[in-house]
C-alpha cells in the first residue's frame, strides 16, 4: 500500500521527485473509471499507447478498482536493473516480457504492438 501511494505521489508531483523521471513516466493511474498517464509515457512508443488503450477498454467492459501501477514495455521486461532488484521491484508493475524468466518482477500483460 505504501508503494502504491508513493507511485501516486510520483505521478502527481509537478516535477519528478528526487530525479526519478524513469518511474514517473512509467506510471499509470486508474481512477474512477479513467486512465491517467504523463505525456512522456504516451509519447514513449506505440506500445505505451496501446497498453493505455487496452486498460481503457478493460475498464469499459468491467469495473476495475482504483490503482496505481508501473508499466515496462521493453522486450526484456526491464532486465536492465529496474526489475531485478531495482526500484520497480517495490511497485505493482506490468511487463510484456520476462527475458530472464518468471522471477523478474511484474505481471505479464499482452504486448499491444501485435494488435496494432
Amino acid at each position: 500500500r505504501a508503494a502504491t501511494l508513493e507511485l501516486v505521489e510520483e505521478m502527481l508531483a509537478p516535477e519528478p521527485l528526487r530525479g526519478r523521471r524513469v518511474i514517473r513516466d512509467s506510471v499509470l493511474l486508474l481512477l474512477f473509471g479513467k486512465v491517467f498517464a504523463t505525456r512522456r509515457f504516451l509519447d514513449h512508443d506505440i506500445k505505451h499507447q496501446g497498453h493505455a488503450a487496452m486498460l481503457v477498454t478493460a475498464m469499459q467492459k468491467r469495473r476495475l478498482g482504483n490503482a496505481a501501477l508501473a508499466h515496462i514495455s521493453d522486450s526484456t521486461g526491464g532486465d536492465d536493473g529496474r526489475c531485478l532488484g531495482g526500484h520497480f521491484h517495490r511497485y505493482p508493475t506490468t511487463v510484456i516480457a520476462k527475458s530472464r524468466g518468471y522471477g523478474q518482477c511484474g505481471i505479464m500483460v499482452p504486448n499491444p504492438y501485435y494488435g496494432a
Side-chain angles (χ1 to χ4, degrees):
R1 186 173 178 104
T4 301
L5 291 175
E6 192 174 321
L7 280 179
V8 171
E9 178 185 68
E10 191 80 40
M11 176 84 167
L12 297 177
E15 289 297 319
L17 301 176
R18 297 170 290 283
R20 298 181 335 180
R21 182 169 297 284
V22 172
I23 298 171
R24 174 195 170 98
D25 294 326
S26 298
V27 174
L28 289 164
L29 297 178
L30 304 139
L31 297 171
F32 310 109
K34 296 186 184 302
V35 177
F36 297 90
T38 66
R39 172 60 48 200
R40 284 180 70 122
F41 177 90
L42 294 173
D43 289 344
H44 180 72
D45 66 24
I46 191 82
K47 292 184 279 187
H48 277 199
Q49 295 168 17
H51 184 65
M54 248 186 335
L55 285 171
V56 168
T57 300
M59 293 177 85
Q60 289 171 346
K61 294 180 182 270
R62 181 170 289 246
R63 185 177 179 273
L64 302 177
N66 294 339
L69 58 102
H71 178 68
I72 298 174
S73 64
D74 299 350
S75 61
T76 62
D79 71 349
D80 59 1
R82 288 176 288 165
C83 253
L84 298 173
H87 48 265
F88 275 84
H89 228 301
R90 298 188 54 211
Y91 308 115
T93 304
T94 56
V95 297
I96 62 167
K98 292 188 176 193
S99 66
R100 294 193 183 177
Y102 291 108
Q104 281 182 247
C105 74
I107 299 167
M108 295 280 288
V109 294
N111 183 346
Y113 178 78
Y114 293 107

